Every structure is written in structure tokens, then in C-alpha cells.
Amino acid sequence: MKNKTIKVDYLARVEGEGALYVKIKDNSLTDVKLKIFEPPRFFEAFLQGRNYSEAPDITARICGICPIAYQMSAVHAMEDAFGVTVDGQLRALRRLIYCGEWIESHALHVYMLHAPDFLGYTDAIQMAKDHPALVQRGLQLKKAGNEIVAFLGGREIHPINVRVGGFYKVPAKRELEPLAERLKWARDAALETVRWTATLDFPDFEQDYEFVALCHPGEYPFNEGRLVSNKGLDISVRDYDDSFVEEHVPYSNALHSIIKGRGAYFVGPLARYNLNFNRLSPMTQEAAHSAGLSYVCNNPFQSIIVRSVEILYACDEALRIIDQYERPDKPSVQVQPRAGTGYGCTEAPRGILYHRYSTDDNGVIIDAKIVPPTSQNQKTIENDLWQFIPKYLDLPSEKLTLQCEQAIRNYDPCISCATHFLKLYVNRE
Amino acid sequence: MKGKKWDDPFVFIIGIGNAYRSDDAVGLHVAQCLKKQAHDHVYVLEESGEGLSLMESWKDADTVILIDAVYSGARPGTILRFDARDQPIPSNLFHYSTHAFGVAETIELARALNQLPNRLIVYGIEGKCFEAGAGLSVEVDKAVQEVTIRVQQDIRNSGI
């Protein structure tokens, strides 16, 4: 009997820290656990007793890379509770700031976190020594996204200009011109990114996933739509709690989210792409096809191409919004709080982000529920590893560890949204 | 100041930290001391330490002096000084940042991309407490004055 344990202090190039436990006995895989030692962050608890208007800024603090998603889910849930509709140019500006977040988050992941796996480097710094132009392009793309968020949000990280009902301040049309110039460059760079990611080598790995994403009749989803899946789910966001449930697992402090009666599901770029391909802009669809992607992609390793396609879409969509922009009369619509429960779900870069709030007559929050995308993908990440590892059991432990890390990074898990510490153990018996 | 083109040589001073994480704020304190003193061609910035913003900040600078808290197990208040053009930043320093891309990583990435300023001096001040809260530990507070004096000496030595 041969025992072997590999310990990695933390899983590199994933936001936040947690642990993966892999057990191999007599040359067969006997256990996989994605362990999340989540210290309570109390966000849902300390929203209680706060005014409804504070929710966007408080929840934005959950994540430094996707604060817009938290703000957008919060404002939509509150507007749902109060019967408020935000449309026209204010709605368009919300899509625009969401474009900025997708560009910055996806560019960071594609170039700095995931690309080193495909090109065989330990990190982006080592990769930059051999591929400086590539890394430069990634950094400049990320910057283009940052500029949208900083411009509309007031600052790059934890923006402050978003409110229930709209914005505190909206730009004049001419103020958007420098952004448009930058975005034209970014759209070209994004197209190059799609072409480049398509040339990478991908393991032959496809599973029969249940993909879940928002679906809107006329647009690729950011803020609105029904929750649909490729296996028959089709519900309004208000009915989320009827179909999805979070479970405790004994080895993890983070909750595992499942679809009732069915189990694991998959959210994020791949899910959005597979359920909404025909809502991408024509140039984005064409770029995806040129990259060899069909309108459905079931290989999670190819999510790096799909993310690049979404960067391209976000640049294209941002330019469309800027082109059609006219400054609205008021930066926000009036909001009259009332007692009730509101539901919001938007497409964070990593997938659907669900918020639910109950308020009293004065708009004070009496209950809050937040389900981030990473907790929804956790079970699918584990399932992937169950299927993936047996194909690579003969690899030396160090290489197997890297393969596992790459498979986890397919999901770009933002563990800090829900967790504290990730250690990787491979235990061979 | 970002994106500005500079006609004359200048020294760029960047204090890094989180004002609400106790000794993590020491770089900001040094920056604030230096701001009170008038220098021609010296510009002082306070930054969170996010890598891309840092690289952007120093893009057009000749001489950059960074001041940040470090945690290496040394005596609190210990002052480290590196000339980053001559030596890599030890990767065990500057690592408690919640940002994935910290100061040390940014400097090494900039080196790989040939984007370091002509002169980059890094001061690291050993912190004692990085818990949530405002205010410096006594030992770290003492180092603020010392580093401020040493940075002024660096400015004089820069020939500006």
C-alpha cells in the first residue's frame, strides 16, 4: 500500500482561499471534497436594520472584482419590493456599467489567472517574461473595463454612484466620447483575444451539465430575464427559492446550492453562452464561430474562449449604448418604500447572483438573502473533478495538482465572496 | 494626475495602505507628512496598492518612492529599504493585501514588461497590528518620522 499526500498551502490564482481534498486508493479515486472554511462574514445579518438605500453600497463590499453585480442585484430586488420600474437611458446606463465589470473581470481571469495554465507558466509574471505583448494586451483590456466602472461608478473599486432608482449622477453625452475611443481599441483587442484563446490546447472533457442563466427575450442577459436551464427550468426570479436550495455539507462551512430534486447545476459564462447564443451581437456570434465554437459549448476548459467572446460582446454592447445615449432628465426615478419582499437576480461575471430582501413600511431591511455564483457552482466543480481526475491518475502528484487547479480555475471561483482558506491535499493510498 | 505627461523630471511618492487596517496605513501616514512639505517637482499620491493603478501611476515618472507596510516577523517599526532596479522585492513581503495583485507582484510584473521607472525605491515598514481599526502602533508610529526624513534625503539625492 502506497501512501502519498501533497499539500499546497493555497490554491493559486483563485480569488480567496479554501481547500481541495483528493483521495486516491489502490489507483482509484475514492473522495473529492472542495472544502470551504468560511468565517462568517455576516453580510446578510448586518443588512438587517439598515435602510433599503444602503443595500447597494454595503453588498458591493462583498467583492472587489464584481461590486457592480452586487449593486445591481440589490437595486433590482429593492425596486421589485417597491414596485419601481427603471427603464430608458437609466436602464441602458446600468447595462453600460455592467459591461465595464465584465470586461475588467474577464480580462483579468483570461490573461492573468487562466492563461498561464494553458501556456505552462506558474503565474502571469513568468508568462510576461516570454509573452510581454500578450500580458500588456490583457492589462490594457482590463483597464478599459475599469475606466467604464470608474467613470459611471465614481471609482474603480466599490463604486459609489449606483442607487435604488438609478444613479446619483448621470453623464452628458459628450463626456462618454473618450470612453468610446478607448472601447473601439478594446473591441479590436477583444477580437484578437478570441482568436488567440481559440488556438490553445484543450483537454477532451465534456459533461452533461444543467446550465442555468438569465434569459431575456431581446438581449444577452445582464440585469433581467427569466431563470432558465437546458433541462426545462423556466421560472421568474421571484420563484428562485421554490427551485433552488442551499445545503450544508459536513466538510464545508459554505453552503452548496442545488436545484431541488436534481442536484448540481452550472452558472457563469458557459451557461449564459449556451442559453443565449442567438442574443449575442452579430459580430460576436461570428467571432465565436470563427474561433471554432458551436452555439453550444460543453467543455469547461473552453470557458476561456467563451469569456473572451463575452469581453467582445461587452465592448460591442458598451459602444452601442454610448452611441444611442441621451442624457436622461433625472439621474434616478422616485422611490417610495413600502413593506414587502423583493427579488433580484443579475449576471455577475461568474454567474447568477440572487438577492432577496424583506422591508418594513419605512424601507428598513428585516431580512436578506444573498446567493453568490461561486456557491452555486461548487457542487459542479466537485463533480468535474470526480470525472476528470480518474483520467489522469497516472500523472505525478505535482502534475495532477496542476490539472486539478486548472479545472477549478475554469470556473474562476471567487472564493472570497464566500470563503476564507483553500488548501489542496492529494492523498494516495 | 494619472495619464499626465510631465515636461520636467520629477519624483513621485506613493504611500500605500488601508486607512482602516491599523498599521497597514503607515504608508499613507508617511505620504501625509510629506504632503505638508513643499517640494518642486515632487508629487505625493495615496494608493490602495492595487497593482494596475500603481503601474499606471508611475508610467511617466523618473523616480518613484513607494512606502508600504510589511510583515516579515521582524521587530515592529523596522524599516527596510530596497532599490527595486537593483534587486527583486522578496516575495514574502507585502503579502497580506486582500488584492490578488500586490505591490511585490506588481513591481516584478513591471520588471518583466520593462516598465519600471528609472529609479524605484521601496520602503517597507514592519507592522505589528493589521486588524480593523484606525491608528498606528506606537513602534510603527515612531518609524513614520524616520522614513519621512529618509525619503526627503532621497529626494535631495535625486538631483531635483
Side-chain angles (χ1 to χ4, degrees), chain A residues 173-225:
Chain A
K173 187 170 175 72
R174 62 176 166 71
E175 292 178 281
L176 290 164
E177 286 166 13
L179 265 189
E181 285 311 305
R182 179 97 186 146
L183 280 164
K184 284 174 190 163
W185 174 88
R187 186 167 59 182
D188 291 343
L191 189 55
E192 289 300 314
T193 305
V194 175
R195 289 174 180 152
W196 162 66
T197 53
T199 66
L200 301 171
D201 285 331
F202 300 99
D204 184 15
F205 183 80
E206 292 192 355
Q207 300 294 309
D208 181 23
Y209 299 106
E210 177 155 12
F211 292 106
V212 175
L214 286 176
C215 197
H216 183 275
E219 58 194 21
Y220 202 70
F222 281 113
N223 276 333
E224 288 175 43

Side-chain angles (χ1 to χ4, degrees), chain B residues 11-87:
Chain B
V11 176
F12 213 154
I13 292 164
I14 307 176
I16 293 167
N18 180 338
Y20 304 105
R21 284 278 175 183
S22 305
D23 292 338
D24 188 53
V26 65
L28 306 178
H29 282 257
V30 174
Q32 284 153 14
C33 287
L34 288 159
K35 264 185 187 172
K36 290 174 191 159
Q37 311 180 13
H39 294 280
D40 287 337
H41 305 297
V42 174
Y43 303 89
V44 183
L45 250 194
E46 296 174 42
E47 286 270 359
S48 67
E50 198 271 321
L52 283 183
S53 302
L54 279 182
M55 281 171 72
E56 195 61 25
S57 301
W58 72 42
K59 200 168 64 176
D60 301 310
D62 302 298
T63 299
V64 174
I65 304 174
L66 283 182
I67 306 109
D68 195 6
V70 298
Y71 186 72
S72 67
R75 184 174 48 80
T78 301
I79 298 165
L80 304 169
R81 183 181 184 279
F82 305 93
D83 188 333
R85 294 288 311 202
D86 293 342
Q87 60 183 125

Side-chain angles (χ1 to χ4, degrees), chain A residues 56-75:
Chain A
D57 291 327
I58 291 175
T59 57
R61 293 286 174 160
I62 292 172
C63 184
I65 195 72
C66 60
I68 296 299
Y70 282 95
Q71 294 193 318
M72 289 298 138
S73 287
V75 297

Side-chain angles (χ1 to χ4, degrees), chain A residues 216-277:
Chain A
H216 183 275
E219 58 194 21
Y220 202 70
F222 281 113
N223 276 333
E224 288 175 43
R226 289 177 69 78
L227 277 163
V228 305
S229 85
N230 55 328
K231 296 198 174 179
L233 184 82
D234 185 354
I235 58 169
S236 89
V237 171
R238 284 184 151 261
D239 296 327
Y240 179 96
D241 293 317
D242 294 339
S243 293
F244 297 88
V245 65
E246 291 177 293
E247 291 182 334
H248 279 288
V249 289
Y251 53 84
S252 179
N253 288 351
L255 301 169
H256 276 199
S257 187
I258 57 164
I259 297 180
K260 285 180 187 174
R262 293 216 286 275
Y265 60 103
F266 192 153
V267 303
L270 224 54
R272 285 192 293 261
Y273 178 89
N274 287 337
L275 294 163
N276 293 281
F277 177 84

Side-chain angles (χ1 to χ4, degrees), chain A residues 125 136 139 142-143 156, chain B residues 52-53 56 105 109 113 115:
Chain A
I125 297 170
Q136 287 280 22
L139 291 175
K142 180 178 185 305
K143 194 173 157 219
E156 289 168 4
Chain B
L52 283 183
S53 302
E56 195 61 25
E105 291 90 340
L109 181 64
L113 293 172
Q115 285 186 356

Side-chain angles (χ1 to χ4, degrees), chain A residues 1 19 36 56 59 78-79 95 128 135 225 302 328 337 389 394 410:
Chain A
M1 192 76 76
I36 308 260
T59 57
M78 290 305 179
E79 288 157 12
R95 279 182 76 79
V135 172
Q302 289 182 317
I389 292 170
D394 295 336
N410 287 335

